[in-house]
Amino acid sequence: MANETWLFGYGSIMWNTGFNFETSELCHVKGWVRRFWQGSTDHRGTPEFPGRVVTLIESASEHCWGTAYRLPACEATDIIDDLDYREKGGYDRTELSLTLSSGRTIAGITYIAHPHNPNYLGESPLEDIARQISFSTGPSGSNKEYILELHQALEQHNIQDGHVETLAQLILRQTESTL
Ligand code: SIN
């Protein structure tokens, strides 16, 4: 239906949704991948010691799986206002095409931290990213909680993501070696 509002979550929105929705479905976005390349100074780190959270990075031949949420029409504006605030640390509300697991393609919105935003950190060796996540914490909690919750949510939905999987394993190994 033309006036349905669908929201795509691929990061914290998957495990800490925080809003009402009518239905949710697995879906993917073509031409994007999930990467821990965005700095977090307001949720999982501080301006002095930023954490790392996920953003979507363009990659023509790949796609990113996540969850599509259909918002209740009467609450959609308020939910989006709240998310604009929650994602204000560098993310832009962006429209893109979502392919639902049923095969249906719909228009949706998501939050993407593009490389020009001031908190963007970009690519680094995975060991360095894992170390930064292991030691960062911010007003919303530890950065480790963010990645481990995301890792678990992806596993629960049978979504394979080599980037998140490798980082989660490195972080668990680093934690064991410091015990
Ligand atoms: C999302 O969850 O879809 C956006 C990125 C984040 O807040 O982790």
Side-chain angles (χ1 to χ4, degrees), residues 61-74:
S61 61
E62 296 180 88
H63 54 266
C64 175
W65 282 91
T67 308
Y69 301 91
R70 194 177 74 216
L71 305 185
C74 57

Side-chain angles (χ1 to χ4, degrees), residues 3-171:
N3 53 6
E4 286 180 352
T5 305
W6 286 86
L7 183 101
F8 176 62
Y10 60 92
S12 68
I13 289 174
M14 290 186 75
W15 57 269
N16 182 22
T17 310
F19 52 81
N20 293 327
F21 52 90
E22 288 175 341
T23 185
S24 67
E25 263 191 61
L26 280 191
C27 80
H28 66 272
V29 289
K30 293 194 170 99
W32 297 90
V33 287
R34 178 177 14 238
R35 291 289 181 265
F36 270 87
W37 290 4
Q38 171 65 5
S40 176
T41 59
D42 60 348
H43 282 297
R44 302 284 162 175
T46 61
E48 295 75 27
F49 300 104
R52 275 189 180 254
V53 288
V54 286
T55 184
L56 293 177
I57 301 294
E58 287 193 85
S59 177
S61 61
E62 296 180 88
H63 54 266
C64 175
W65 282 91
T67 308
Y69 301 91
R70 194 177 74 216
L71 305 185
C74 57
E75 289 180 58
T77 304
D78 287 346
I79 292 171
I80 290 166
D81 283 351
D82 289 349
L83 285 169
D84 284 354
Y85 182 78
R86 166 172 161 177
E87 304 291 331
K88 69 184 183 329
Y91 291 85
D92 290 328
R93 176 160 28 101
T94 308
E95 287 185 21
L96 75 187
S97 165
L98 313 180
T99 307
L100 299 177
S101 47
S102 58
R104 185 177 156 212
T105 301
I106 51 167
I109 56 177
T110 195
Y111 288 83
I112 300 179
H114 294 285
H116 57 72
N117 85 83
N119 293 333
Y120 187 77
L121 296 174
E123 188 168 13
S124 275
L126 288 175
E127 287 75 11
D128 294 351
I129 295 181
R131 211 166 301 115
Q132 186 173 357
I133 293 173
S134 292
F135 295 111
S136 296
T137 190
S140 300
S142 74
N143 206 173
K144 204 153 85 177
E145 175 191 48
Y146 177 104
I147 188 169
L148 296 180
E149 292 281 358
L150 176 59
H151 181 234
Q152 192 179 9
L154 295 176
E155 274 191 346
Q156 278 165 357
H157 292 299
N158 283 319
I159 296 174
Q160 317 284 333
D161 187 314
H163 177 75
V164 177
E165 178 65 33
T166 305
L167 284 171
Q169 294 311 330
L170 283 168
I171 286 160

